[in-house]
Structure formats: structure tokens, C-alpha cells
């Protein structure tokens, strides 16, 4: 009898794990499908022009998205300048000073709420607070909207990776007479640095694909946008604009833009992985 | 965690350097809190006309009529919650299944690249998801999935009525694909962090690998897994672009999952630029405020749940 | 070792910033160029983008950047003066004009038509629609394709007994304004129950985003009907029907029929150009036509921008009109052009 029961349990074991294997196959399959679809539709539009020329008006084939690529770069730079310091320093507070107190709890809760605000509401907020007073659309407004969206994840990853640093390291440093602030800056943060960097890079790549907050802040631009106070084109907005137009050539360019964006994000991911792997190998 | 020497109380660190860093980081941390409060305030102030006109009736009003100035949020609330609910219902078992496979079964050289690939799914822009939803998912749901569901489960009211391809179910499926990466990568990390001693103990008692996973590993990691679920839920609640392309954009409450619906984020995205008079604009912002409130409530529930579970497992754990 | 790591990180960071800064400096606009921003209707986006590009070739110092965020968006942004000019398919109401931060001129640019597109499997013939049929379908009172109201005017065409799937716009739009304006004129029930606006409470149907969304959804969904701008229907090769006008003729939307609709209106054009030309009299008039307008401040604070825009407007009324036909838009009738030139002369900068 117990032999039968054991066989049954073994069968169940096999079945359940097969199910998980199938789940994995399904998920990875979906990913490859999405990638393949984009390549199939957009690869033909990826040429040198795409990366160097400005968009052409409707009906004229060719043209490119050079200004959108640069525009996305500008927006991400501003977003990083806002999101990273705030998230990073807030995370340092939560990990080093605020692990168990009321302020820490409130800040964590507020961060979770901030994370859950839809991107469009963030865009409306930036519109009200930046665009209206300035009476213009600008890259700065778009960057601010994206930067605020970056804060929660930057904060969370900083906090988590700093918490992973063992207390023994802090205690050793303090035992040597190094003040706490120096301990944090010279010992704790460098130890957790690679993980924090990964988190921030992932944060950046997620924000790079956001469209809704840019529609009422950075607007868009058919031309090169000079400086920071002018509307600027960006890859997600171009994808959106081109995909809802009735021109086949523009559809292909939209898919190509999606590919470029995805390749950019892939690149960021790969780099951050490589960075993290070396840190793990060093055994810290 | 007060490891450094102090003179007692806040900001009484023994040297000025510690105090400076404490104040600096505290300032930035509080700024986040202030920012969130500011956003809530901005939402409130920009929806005041609508709040004054409709009061609480806004929450259960079912009419959305910009011409005759009647606004109610219930269909959108329903749509957001249902589509997110479907998404989680699909994504949670799927994501957990993948996480279990990657942490328990797959060897490291396979598990790491696959986890990386799945995280890539999180990086695909939502516009692209929407487009693939329109061109691939919508026809598939209408032509392939609907007949199968109707044949097997057609007697259920949730699978009744005509299916156009766009609708609540399609939106739920698309959202599921978008949030699976969150559940998978977080759960995988947490499952891998479960100490080997737990597994070894179960195996030593004669459990199969699956029984070990089910009884020893997953329960240990329960709070982390649930945390991932709430992160996924937050993403699903706020998703705008992809949802509006496949949900049918019809502000109606229907029993069938094939029926078109509407979500809060989608209506804001669709009508914000075209809101031609103030009350209309304020009504849209009030929908944003309702979404904000839903996020607060969901987060509160999440924290309470995790607290309760942590307390319970603390009692059980040695 | 820690120091080496921190150093390499710092170097990487600096490199990133240097690259970013360099990319900002590289392709900059020549110092004499002025950027003029405009926002508004999606309907005329193709012709506007063509015009601004052609004008830019002739005047390299004038960069006119137009983004289509919707008519309501155009109205709002110009009212707030976050852009230099707006564009709309639906004229501003008196209330909106009074709330704007500056006095605004409505300047018609081109004409367009909104057509009913449909997708009936196996049927490629051109269907005729009466006003009653269209209003009935979109109100949900006419449910099936073989309803007498539709079948009656389409003898010889085998219409199926399938349910009609109505598709409308989910986002607010001037196209919707034109369509509902027409339905309000021909159907008292529609006017009482639904009304005219850029966004309405549709009695039935699925919502799709943008002209492209509607045409895409109709193309994909069997037994569907929707409404889009003429150019979208022709570019994706989907059958669109003829509509019965107020004289009783079934007219297909075309440059001629749309211009005919405007010709009647030209005689009674109000001085501020805010006129609706749906269901206009005229044997060959297409009943669902509309002007589209640029919203231009009467007084520019920035003289350079004002001059550029005024010069562009003059060009648009002359050379510009020749590009309209090629992109599927009907050019303005000569009487309207004359009236407009006088209004443009009143813009101060």
C-alpha cells in the first residue's frame, strides 16, 4: 500500500514540475514572439538614415528618428539627475538610520503609493506644476515627470542592497574608530554599489519606455531641439504617433523605433548584469 | 540600528559628520513623502469642481456623459479592478510556476539567462504591448479562444454574449503578460534565499522534491512572494496605453468577460487633451484621485496582510 | 582594491556625462532659427506637416513644429498660451474664447470629409446610407445589416442578417464632433439623447483610439461599421459608403463633393469663420464635411514668431492650397480665401 502511495507521490512530483516547466516555456515563448514580431516588422526600416536623419513629412518615404534618439537621451539624463539622488539618499536613510522608526514606515508607505501612480497622472502633475507656469513645453518638464517616476525603484533597490551588507562590516569599521558617516560613505555604500547601480539602470530602462507622461510635458518636435527648454522628440512618443497614422512606411518606422528602444534597454541590462556578476564573483 | 556612539535622542550623534549625513538623508527621504502629499493635493485641487458637484455619488455613478455634464466613476473602477484581477489570476500561478522551476529545478547555468530574459519582458514599452495586443491578441481571442471557452464553459455568465476580440478578458490577458516578469523575478530571488536547511530537513523526512517545495520552501518565502504580487497589482492598476488599445473603451458594467469595458487610467489618457470645459477636466482628474485612493487602500491591505503573515510565521518558526 | 573599483566607476560615470553633453552640443539649430510651436487636430496633420516642411525648405529660419494632440488639446494649449498657435476641427465656443488668455482668430485651412466605413464579410459593394440609417445604427435602434432602412436603398445587394458592430472613437476628437454634428442635425432623437461634442456618451459600440484605431478595428471585426476621415479610408483600402444629402442624392465623399458643401456656406460665412457645413444644401454636397481651423492669437507678443506665422498663413492661402488635393483634402473656396486674407492683415505683432 505504501508502495502505491509512494508511486503516486512520485507521479505528482513529476507532474507538478512538468507544469512549472511548461509555464517557463510559455513565458519565454511569449518573449521571443514579441521580439520576433518587432524584428519582422521593423528590421527593414533600420538603416543608417534612421539613426541620423530627421523625420520626413507624410507621404515621403525615408527619414529617420535621430532627434528622437537624442531626445530620449536628454530626457533620461534629466530624469536620472532628479530620480537618482533623491532615491539613493532616501534609500540610505531608510537603511542606515530609519530601519525601525515611524518616519521610515511613512516614507516606505509613501514610496509604494508613488510607485502606484499611473504614468499619465504623473504627466498631468508635471504639466500643472512645470509646463503651465513656464508657459511652454520643454525637455525639462518631461525629465521631471520621468524623474519622479524613477524615485521609488531607486529608493527600494538602494535600501535593499544596503541592507544586504552585513552588520559585521559596519561594526568592524566603527570598531576601528571610523565615524558612522565615513563608514557609510566609504564602506557600506561601495560594498552595495554594484547592486544599487543595477537597480538604477533597470529603473532607467523602465522609464525610457514611458509614453503617457511625455505627451503633455516634453510634447514632441519635428526638428532638432536646442537646449533644455524646448519641446523634444522622444522614441516612445514617436512610436505612438507613427503607429496611429495611416501610412505603412510610418508603421514600419514605429516598429523600428520600438526595436531601437528595446535594444537600448537590452544593452543597459546586459551591462548592469556584467557589472553585478563581477561583484558576485568577488564574493562580497 | 544605532551602532554609532550617540548622546541619546534624534540628531544627537556624537560628531557633526554623522549628524550632517543623518539630516541630509532624512531631508531627501522626507521630500519623497512631501512629494506624494503634494501630488495628492494637486489632484484634489484640480478636481474640486467635480467633487463639489457630485460628492460621493461620483463613486457609484454609472453615466459618463460629457455633453450633458453627468460624470460617474463606477464603470471605470469596475474595469480597472476586474482587468487587474484577471491579470493577477493568470499571472500569479504562471509567474510562481516559472519562479519555482527556475529556483528549484533548473541548474544555475539555465536559470540565470532565463530569468534575465524574463526581466526583459518588463522592459518592453507599453505602447508596443498595446500594438501587439491589437494585431495579435485581439484576433486570437476572438477567433481561437472564444469558441473554445464557449464550448466548454459557455454556460457560465462570465463567458456569455458576443466576443469582439477587444474586451475585459483580452485586457486581462495582456496585463498578465506585462506583470508576470515582476512576480517571477522577485519570487525567484526570494525562493533562492530560503536556507538550504529547510529543504534538507523536509527531504530528510522523506518528502518528494515537490512536497518539499510546497510545504517547506514556498511558505517560508510567503511574504516576499506576496509582496511581488502587490507590486504586480500596482503596475496593473496604473497601466494606461496597452489597456486602452484592447479593452474596447465602453463605460459599461457587464457580467461577461467578453464584453468591452473601460479603465480609470484609460479614460484619463483618452479624454484629457480633449476636455473642453472645466467641469469635464475636473471630473477626469477626480478619476485620477480615485485611482490614487485605490492604490493607497491596496497598499494598506498589502501591508496588513504581510504583517499578519509575518506574525503568524514568527509564531510557527523556531 | 576598493579604491580601484570606485575609480573605474567614477571614470565610467564621467564618460557617460561627457558623451551626453557632447550629444547635446552636436546638432544644434543655427542661431537664426526660430521655433514656432503649434498643437491641435489630428485630422489635418498630414497636410499641416507637409505645409510646414515645404515652408521650411523655402524659409530655413522658420521651424514650425506642429503636434497632433487633438482638437480639444489644441484649444486648451492655445488658451493657456503654452503653444504659439492651435488647430481644431471643432470651432471654439464663446465661453472658451472668453476664457482664453488671449483673443483668438479662427482661420480655415482646408476642408475634409468623414466617411462611414464598414466590413461585411463577402461584401465589397458600395453601400448607400440614409440619414435615418446612420443615426439608427449609431443609436442602437437599427441592429442588423439587413434592416429595411439599409436594405431599402440598396436593392440587389445581399445583406446578411448579422448584428452590426458599431465602432466609434474613444478619444475626444474633431472627427467625432463633425460626425455627431451631422447626426444632431438629421436626427432629433440623437440631438436630444446624445448631442454633439468631441466626446459623447455613445449609446452603443466599441471605442478605439484615433482614426487609425477605428479603421484598424473595423477592418479586423466582421460586421463592423465605423467613421473616419476620408484619407484614412482611402489609405487602408476599406469600403466606405455614400451618404444621402439634404437634396436626396447619395453622394460619395470626394474633393468635389466636399468643396460643394463649402460653396454653399461661403455665401453666408460669418466674419469669424466659425461655421458648420454638415448637411449643407447643394445637389452634390457631401453632407458630412467640415472646415478645419488654425487658432491664431490676434496679437503676438513675440514679433519674430508673429511675422513667421503671418507669412506662412499668406503662403498657405496661395501656394499651400495646391498641396491639399494630393493628400485628400479639399482646398478652400476662393471667396473664403479672400475673406481670410483680410483677417490675416489684422493680426498684430
Amino acid at each position: 500500500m505504501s508502495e502505491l502511495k509512494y508511486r503516486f507521490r512520485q507521479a505528482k512530483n513529476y507532474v507538478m514540475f512538468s507544469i512549472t516547466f511548461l509555464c517557463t516555456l510559455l513565458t519565454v515563448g511569449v518573449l521571443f514572439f514579441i521580439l520576433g514580431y518587432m524584428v519582422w516588422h521593423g528590421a527593414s526600416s533600420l538603416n543608417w538614415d534612421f539613426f541620423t536623419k530627421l523625420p520626413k513629412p507624410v507621404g515621403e518615404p525615408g527619414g529617420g528618428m535621430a532627434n528622437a534618439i537624442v531626445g530620449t537621451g536628454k530626457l533620461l539624463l534629466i530624469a536620472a539627475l532628479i530620480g537618482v539622488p533623491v532615491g539613493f539618499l532616501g534609500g540610505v536613510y531608510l537603511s542606515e538610520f530609519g530601519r525601525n522608526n515611524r518616519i521610515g514606515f511613512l516614507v516606505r508607505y509613501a514610496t509604494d503609493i508613488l510607485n502606484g501612480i499611473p504614468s499619465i497622472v504623473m504627466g498631468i502633475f508635471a504639466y500643472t506644476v512645470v509646463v503651465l507656469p513656464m508657459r511652454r513645453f520643454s525637455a525639462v518638464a518631461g525629465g521631471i515627470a520621468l524623474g519622479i517616476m524613477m524615485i521609488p525603484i531607486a529608493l527600494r533597490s538602494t535600501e535593499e542592497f544596503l541592507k544586504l551588507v552585513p552588520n559585521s562590516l559596519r561594526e568592524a569599521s566603527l570598531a576601528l574608530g571610523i565615524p558612522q558617516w565615513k563608514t557609510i560613505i566609504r564602506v557600506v555604500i561601495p560594498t552595495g554599489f554594484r547592486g544599487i547601480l543595477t537597480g538604477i539602470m533597470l529603473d532607467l530602462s523602465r522609464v525610457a519606455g514611458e509614453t503617457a507622461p511625455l505627451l503633455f510635458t516634453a510634447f514632441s518636435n519635428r526638428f532638432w531641439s536646442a537646449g533644455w527648454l524646448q519641446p523634444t522628440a522622444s522614441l516612445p512618443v514617436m512610436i505612438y504617433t507613427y503607429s496611429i497614422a495611416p501610412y505603412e512606411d510610418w508603421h514600419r518606422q514605429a516598429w523600428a523605433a520600438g526595436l531601437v528602444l528595446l535594444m537600448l534597454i537590452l544593452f543597459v541590462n546586459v551591462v548592469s548584469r556584467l557589472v553585478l556578476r563581477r561583484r558576485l564573483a568577488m564574493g562580497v | 540600528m544605532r551602532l554609532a556612539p550617540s548622546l541619546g535622542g534624534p540628531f544627537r550623534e556624537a560628531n557633526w559628520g554623522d549628524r550632517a549625513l543623518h539630516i541630509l538623508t532624512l531631508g531627501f527621504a522626507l521630500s519623497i513623502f512631501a512629494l506624494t502629499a503634494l501630488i495628492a493635493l494637486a489632484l484634489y485641487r484640480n478636481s474640486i469642481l467635480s467633487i463639489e458637484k457630485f460628492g460621493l455619488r461620483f463613486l457609484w455613478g454609472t453615466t459618463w456623459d460629457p455633453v450633458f455634464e453627468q460624470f460617474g466613476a463606477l464603470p471605470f473602477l469596475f474595469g480597472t479592478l476586474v482587468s487587474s484581477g484577471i491579470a493577477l489570476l493568470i499571472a500569479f500561478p504562471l509567474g510562481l510556476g516559472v519562479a519555482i522551476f527556475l529556483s528549484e529545478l533548473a541548474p544555475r547555468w539555465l536559470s540565470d539567462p532565463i530569468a534575465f530574459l524574463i526581466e526583459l519582458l518588463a522592459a518592453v514599452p507599453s505602447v508596443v504591448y498595446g500594438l501587439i495586443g491589437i494585431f495579435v491578441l485581439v484576433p486570437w481571442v476572438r477567433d481561437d479562444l472564444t469558441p473554445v471557452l464557449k464550448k466548454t464553459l459557455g454556460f457560465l455568465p462570465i463567458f456569455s454574449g458576443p466576443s469582439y476580440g477587444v474586451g475585459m478578458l483580452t485586457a486581462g490577458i495582456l496585463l498578465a503578460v506585462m506583470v508576470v516578469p515582476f512576480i517571477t523575478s522577485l519570487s525567484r530571488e526570494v525562493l533562492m534565499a530560503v536556507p538550504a536547511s529547510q529543504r534538507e530537513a523536509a527531504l530528510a523526512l522523506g518528502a518528494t522534491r515537490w512536497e518539499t517545495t510546497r510545504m517547506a520552501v514556498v511558505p517560508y518565502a510567503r511574504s516576499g512572494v506576496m509582496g511581488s504580487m502587490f507590486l504586480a497589482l500596482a503596475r496593473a492598476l496604473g497601466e494606461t496605453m496597452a489597456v486602452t488599445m484592447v479593452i474596447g473603451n465602453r463605460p459599461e458594467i457587464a457580467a461577461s468577460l467578453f464584453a468591452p469595458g473601460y479603465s480609470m487610467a484609460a479614460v484619463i489618457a483618452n479624454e484629457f487633451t480633449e476636455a473642453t470645459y472645466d467641469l469635464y477636466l475636473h471630473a477626469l482628474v477626480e478619476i485620477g484621485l480615485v485611482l490614487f485612493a485605490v492604490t493607497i487602500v491596496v497598499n494598506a491591505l498589502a501591508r496588513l496582510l504581510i504583517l499578519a503573515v509575518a506574525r503568524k510565521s514568527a509564531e510557527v518558526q523556531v | 582594491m576598493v579604491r580601484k573599483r570606485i575609480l573605474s566607476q567614477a571614470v565610467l560615470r564621467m564618460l557617460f556625462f561627457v558623451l551626453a553633453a557632447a550629444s547635446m552640443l552636436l546638432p544644434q539649430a543655427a542661431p537664426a532659427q526660430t521655433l514656432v510651436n503649434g498643437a491641435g487636430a489630428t485630422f489635418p496633420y498630414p497636410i499641416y506637416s507637409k505645409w510646414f516642411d515645404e515652408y521650411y525648405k523655402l524659409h530655413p529660419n522658420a521651424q514650425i513644429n506642429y503636434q497632433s494632440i487633438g482638437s480639444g488639446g489644441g484649444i486648451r494649449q492655445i488658451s493657456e498660451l503654452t503653444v504659439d498657435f492651435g488647430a481644431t476641427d471643432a470651432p471654439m465656443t464663446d465661453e472658451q474664447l472668453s476664457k482664453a488668455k488671449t483673443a483668438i482668430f479662427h482661420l480655415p485651412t482646408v476642408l475634409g470629409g468623414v466617411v462611414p466605413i464598414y466590413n461585411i464579410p463577402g461584401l465589397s459593394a458600395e453601400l448607400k446610407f440614409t440619414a435615418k440609417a446612420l443615426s439608427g445604427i449609431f443609436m442602437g435602434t437599427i441592429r442588423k445589416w439587413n434592416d429595411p432602412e439599409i436594405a431599402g436603398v440598396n436593392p440587389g445587394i445581399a445583406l446578411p442578417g448579422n448584428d452590426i458592430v458599431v465602432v466609434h472613437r474613444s478619444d475626444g476628437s474633431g472627427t467625432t464632433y463633425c460626425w455627431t454634428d451631422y447626426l444632431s442635425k438629421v436626427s432629433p432623437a440623437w440631438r436630444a439623447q446624445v448631442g454633439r461634442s468631441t466626446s459623447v456618451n455613445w449609446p452603443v459600440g466599441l471605442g478605439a483610439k484615433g482614426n487609425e484605431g477605428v479603421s484598424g478595428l473595423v477592418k479586423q471585426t466582421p460586421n463592423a461599421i465605423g467613421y473616419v476621415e476620408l484619407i484614412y479610408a482611402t489609405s487602408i483600402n476599406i469600403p466606405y459608403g455614400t451618404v444621402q444629402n439634404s437634396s436626396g442624392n447619395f453622394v460619395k465623399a470626394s474633393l468635389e463633393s466636399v468643396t460643394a458643401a463649402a460653396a454653399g456656406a461661403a455665401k453666408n460665412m460669418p466674419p469669424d469663420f466659425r461655421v458648420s457645413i454638415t448637411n449643407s444644401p447643394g445637389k452634390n454636397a457631401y453632407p458630412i464635411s467640415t472646415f478645419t481651423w488654425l487658432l491664431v492669437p490676434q496679437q503676438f507678443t513675440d514679433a519674430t514668431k508673429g511675422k513667421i506665422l503671418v507669412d506662412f498663413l499668406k503662403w498657405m492661402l496661395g501656394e499651400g492650397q495646391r498641396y491639399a488635393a494630393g493628400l485628400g483634402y479639399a482646398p478652400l473656396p476662393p471667396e473664403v480665401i479672400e475673406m481670410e486674407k483680410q483677417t490675416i492683415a489684422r493680426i498684430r505683432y
Side-chain angles (χ1 to χ4, degrees), chain A residues 20-31, chain B residues 94 98:
Chain A
T20 61
F21 178 66
L22 287 173
C23 288
T24 312
L25 228 59
L26 180 66
T27 315
V28 175
V30 166
L31 172 72
Chain B
L94 190 67
V98 180

Side-chain angles (χ1 to χ4, degrees), chain A residues 249-268:
Chain A
D249 182 51
W250 275 16
H251 291 171
R252 279 197 302 272
Q253 287 200 21
W255 288 111
L259 265 179
V260 169
L261 193 57
L262 207 63
M263 286 196 296
L264 181 73
I265 292 168
L266 185 85
F267 176 70
V268 164

Side-chain angles (χ1 to χ4, degrees), chain B residues 63-68 134-135 138-139 142 164 166 244 248-250 260 262 269-276 278 280-281, chain C residues 69-73 76 96 99 165 170-172 192-194 197-207 209 220-221:
Chain B
T63 312
W64 186 265
D65 194 332
V67 176
F68 295 108
I134 297 180
F135 293 128
V138 165
R142 182 184 61 232
Y164 310 103
V166 293
T244 184
N249 298 316
R250 179 144 196 82
Y262 220 151
N270 276 325
E271 300 189 11
F272 187 72
T273 49
E274 291 285 340
T276 37
D278 280 348
Y280 193 0
L281 203 66
Chain C
I69 58 174
S71 300
R76 184 122 47 74
Q96 286 170 332
K99 285 213 176 124
V165 180
S170 63
D171 48 335
Q193 210 179 315
V194 187
S197 175
T198 51
S199 234
V200 300
N201 187 17
W202 296 94
V204 291
L206 308 169
K209 200 164 167 51
Q220 269 199 38
T221 311

Side-chain angles (χ1 to χ4, degrees), chain A residues 123-137:
Chain A
I124 296 173
F125 176 73
Y127 173 76
T128 331
V129 159
V130 184
V131 175
L132 280 182
M134 275 174 65
R135 290 276 189 87
R136 64 198 313 169
F137 293 108

Side-chain angles (χ1 to χ4, degrees), chain A residues 42-269:
Chain A
S44 54
S45 281
L46 279 180
N47 48 27
W48 186 242
D49 272 1
F50 189 84
F51 290 95
T52 51
K53 290 251 165 66
L54 288 175
K56 280 242 169 76
V58 302
E60 291 176 39
M65 291 207 191
N67 59 345
I69 297 175
V70 170
T72 295
K74 265 193 214 178
L75 289 167
L76 290 181
L77 189 65
I78 301 176
L81 283 174
I82 296 173
V84 171
V86 177
F88 178 70
L89 288 171
V92 168
Y93 175 80
L94 286 182
S95 158
E96 304 302 308
F97 300 103
R99 283 211 196 170
N100 267 321
N101 60 13
R102 205 164 300 163
I103 295 182
F105 173 77
L106 279 174
V107 172
R108 278 190 201 94
Y109 192 62
T111 310
D112 278 345
I113 294 173
L114 198 63
N115 199 25
I117 295 179
S119 51
I120 184 134
V121 174
M122 208 60 87
I124 296 173
F125 176 73
Y127 173 76
T128 331
V129 159
V130 184
V131 175
L132 280 182
M134 275 174 65
R135 290 276 189 87
R136 64 198 313 169
F137 293 108
S138 61
V140 165
I144 290 178
L146 293 180
I148 299 178
M149 290 178 69
M150 276 191 74
I151 293 175
I153 300 183
L155 184 139
R156 258 315 162 83
S157 53
T158 306
E159 186 195 352
E160 291 301 324
F161 282 107
L162 286 183
K163 287 211 300 213
L164 277 176
V165 173
N167 260 353
S168 51
L169 226 64
R170 291 184 182 85
E171 288 164 0
S173 168
L174 291 169
L176 288 169
I178 301 173
Q180 188 183 20
W181 67 271
K182 230 183 201 175
T183 305
I184 295 175
I185 296 179
R186 290 299 202 89
V187 176
V188 181
I189 290 179
T191 310
F193 194 57
R194 288 226 153 88
I196 297 171
L197 196 67
T198 309
I200 290 174
M201 290 213 174
L202 285 169
D203 201 7
L204 207 65
S205 50
R206 178 228 157 171
V207 138
E210 291 287 345
T211 316
L214 296 176
L215 291 172
F216 328 114
T217 49
F219 203 46
S220 190
N221 202 335
R222 280 197 89 71
F223 308 98
W224 290 111
S225 83
W228 309 94
L229 295 176
Q230 281 186 349
T232 175
S234 56
L235 284 172
V237 172
M238 291 300 264
I239 298 176
Y240 175 66
T241 312
Y242 273 29
S243 57
I244 59 173
Y247 308 108
E248 196 50 49
D249 182 51
W250 275 16
H251 291 171
R252 279 197 302 272
Q253 287 200 21
W255 288 111
L259 265 179
V260 169
L261 193 57
L262 207 63
M263 286 196 296
L264 181 73
I265 292 168
L266 185 85
F267 176 70
V268 164
N269 261 306

Side-chain angles (χ1 to χ4, degrees), chain A residues 6 9-10 12-14 16-18 20-28 30-35 37-38 85-87 89-97 99-100 103 105-122 124-125 127-129 148 151 153 155-156 167 170-171 174 179-182 184-185 202 205-206 209-212 215-216 236 239-240 243-244 251 254-255 258 261-262 265-266 269-270 273 277 280, chain B residues 1-5 13 15-19 21-22 24-33 35-36 38-39 42-43 46 93-102 104-105 108 110 112 114 116-129 131-132 135-136 177 180-182 184 188-189 206-211 213-214 231 234-235 237-241 245 265 268-270 272-273 285 288 291-292 295-297 299-301 303 307:
Chain A
Y6 184 63
R9 285 163 58 212
Q10 267 199 319
K12 198 158 140 194
N13 185 52
Y14 184 70
M16 291 314 277
F17 276 124
S18 305
T20 61
F21 178 66
L22 287 173
C23 288
T24 312
L25 228 59
L26 180 66
T27 315
V28 175
V30 166
L31 172 72
F32 277 123
F33 177 78
I34 294 176
L35 285 176
Y37 196 85
M38 291 171 74
V86 177
L89 288 171
V92 168
Y93 175 80
L94 286 182
S95 158
E96 304 302 308
F97 300 103
R99 283 211 196 170
N100 267 321
I103 295 182
F105 173 77
L106 279 174
V107 172
R108 278 190 201 94
Y109 192 62
T111 310
D112 278 345
I113 294 173
L114 198 63
N115 199 25
I117 295 179
S119 51
I120 184 134
V121 174
M122 208 60 87
I124 296 173
F125 176 73
Y127 173 76
T128 331
V129 159
I148 299 178
I151 293 175
I153 300 183
L155 184 139
R156 258 315 162 83
N167 260 353
R170 291 184 182 85
E171 288 164 0
L174 291 169
Q180 188 183 20
W181 67 271
K182 230 183 201 175
I184 295 175
I185 296 179
L202 285 169
S205 50
R206 178 228 157 171
E210 291 287 345
T211 316
L215 291 172
F216 328 114
I239 298 176
Y240 175 66
S243 57
I244 59 173
H251 291 171
W255 288 111
L261 193 57
L262 207 63
I265 292 168
L266 185 85
N269 261 306
V270 165
R273 286 283 141 175
R277 188 161 298 157
L280 287 172
Chain B
M1 181 194 67
R2 187 62 69 203
L3 294 177
E13 282 91 347
N15 68 65
W16 64 268
D18 288 353
R19 211 173 308 157
L21 187 66
H22 189 172
L24 178 72
T25 54
L26 178 63
F28 274 92
L30 283 178
S31 73
I32 297 171
F33 185 74
L35 187 64
T36 313
L38 192 68
I39 294 180
L43 285 176
N46 279 307
L94 190 67
L96 193 59
V98 180
I100 290 176
F101 177 78
L102 291 178
E104 304 299 309
L105 212 56
R108 206 52 195 268
L110 188 63
D112 279 347
I114 292 186
F116 163 62
L117 281 177
I118 291 177
E119 274 168 40
L120 211 60
L121 265 179
V124 174
S126 60
V127 184
V128 172
Y129 271 115
L131 289 173
I132 295 186
F135 293 128
V136 177
V177 173
V180 153
F182 290 92
T184 299
R188 174 180 169 261
E189 291 293 329
T208 60
R209 290 285 301 280
W210 172 254
E211 284 162 353
T213 310
R214 187 171 63 85
L231 195 68
R235 170 103 207 247
L237 286 175
E239 179 50 48
T240 312
M241 282 294 169
M245 288 172 158
I268 300 176
N270 276 325
F272 187 72
T273 49
V285 177
L291 189 51
F292 192 79
T295 314
I296 293 183
V297 167
N299 265 292
L301 285 174
R303 289 186 173 277
L307 237 88

Side-chain angles (χ1 to χ4, degrees), chain C residues 108-126:
Chain C
T109 50
V110 285
L111 294 151
V114 184
V115 300
I117 53 173
Y118 50 87
N119 173 11
I120 303 176
L123 197 96
S124 54
E126 193 175 271

